[in-house]
Amino acid sequence: MMQTVTTIAGRLDATGLKIAVVATRFNDFIVDRLVGGALDCLERHGINAPDITLVRVPGAFELPLLCQKLAAQKRYDGILALGAVIRGGTPHFDYICAEATKGIAQAMLASGTPVGFGLLTCDTIEQAIERAGSKAGNKGVEAAAAMLETIRVLEQL
Ligand code: INI
């Protein structure tokens, strides 16, 4: 018979945490839905609203720098990066997505601070709308929940 395994898992509990949310102004009609979902998620899981700091950046390309800076301050238990890159007719779509993704991951790994990845990378505006609070859920909520879970797992290691 199989022995009981030791499982370490994170609770979705935001009580007492300090969180920085970094959100782009580019595509703000989409990104504001991600921000709204993320804030609602954090509040429903017990955060004290004044313990959330919202930082606005121009676009996805700027997300890594701000995530890095905020993580290095060590004032926050977690950081949430929110934005939307929409291919449309943007020829540099792939470059922006690659740099933003790589840079956000690097900010997390270099600092050890969990960073929730809530950057939509979509071919069309319709796809972005679907992921910003309609058919395909809300990526801001998912990223906030993932960040919370990661913070709580790390605490136990
Ligand atoms: N920034 C985005 O966040 N989303 C986009 O869809 C986008 N497009 O399509 O160009 C975008 N570009 C701006 C970029 O992130 C920088 O802010 C800009 O190049 C200035 O550094």
Side-chain angles (χ1 to χ4, degrees):
M1 194 155 93
M2 186 130 94
Q3 305 270 304
T4 310
V5 298
T6 302
T7 303
I8 298 173
R11 291 161 298 124
L12 291 185
D13 175 14
T15 314
L17 297 180
K18 294 203 184 323
I19 301 295
V21 178
V22 190
T24 64
R25 279 188 288 100
F26 208 106
N27 292 324
D28 63 355
F29 71 105
I30 297 288
V31 178
D32 286 349
R33 304 293 307 195
L34 304 179
V35 172
L39 297 184
D40 181 61
C41 174
L42 294 174
E43 285 173 23
R44 279 187 294 114
H45 288 98
I47 205 164
N48 185 25
D51 288 332
I52 303 175
T53 302
L54 176 62
V55 180
R56 287 281 183 178
V57 294
F61 193 72
E62 285 72 35
L63 285 171
L65 176 63
L66 271 294
C67 288
Q68 186 192 64
K69 174 81 180 175
L70 291 160
Q73 290 180 338
K74 301 282 176 202
R75 283 192 211 154
Y76 302 101
D77 300 292
I79 294 168
L80 200 49
L82 302 177
V85 193
I86 300 173
R87 187 186 296 272
T90 315
H92 55 312
F93 171 90
D94 293 312
Y95 301 108
I96 294 178
C97 292
E99 292 310 310
T101 305
K102 209 173 354 131
I104 291 167
Q106 207 198 318
M108 172 160 75
L109 295 175
S111 65
T113 300
V115 181
F117 184 77
L119 178 65
L120 296 178
T121 54
C122 302
D123 286 329
T124 64
I125 288 176
E126 287 72 20
Q127 287 174 352
I129 291 169
E130 282 176 9
R131 291 159 176 73
S134 56
K135 284 210 295 202
N138 185 318
K139 180 77 178 168
V141 175
E142 282 173 34
M147 178 200 61
L148 284 183
E149 190 176 340
T150 309
I151 292 169
R152 296 311 189 185
V153 171
L154 274 180
E155 281 175 350
Q156 298 173 65
L157 299 177

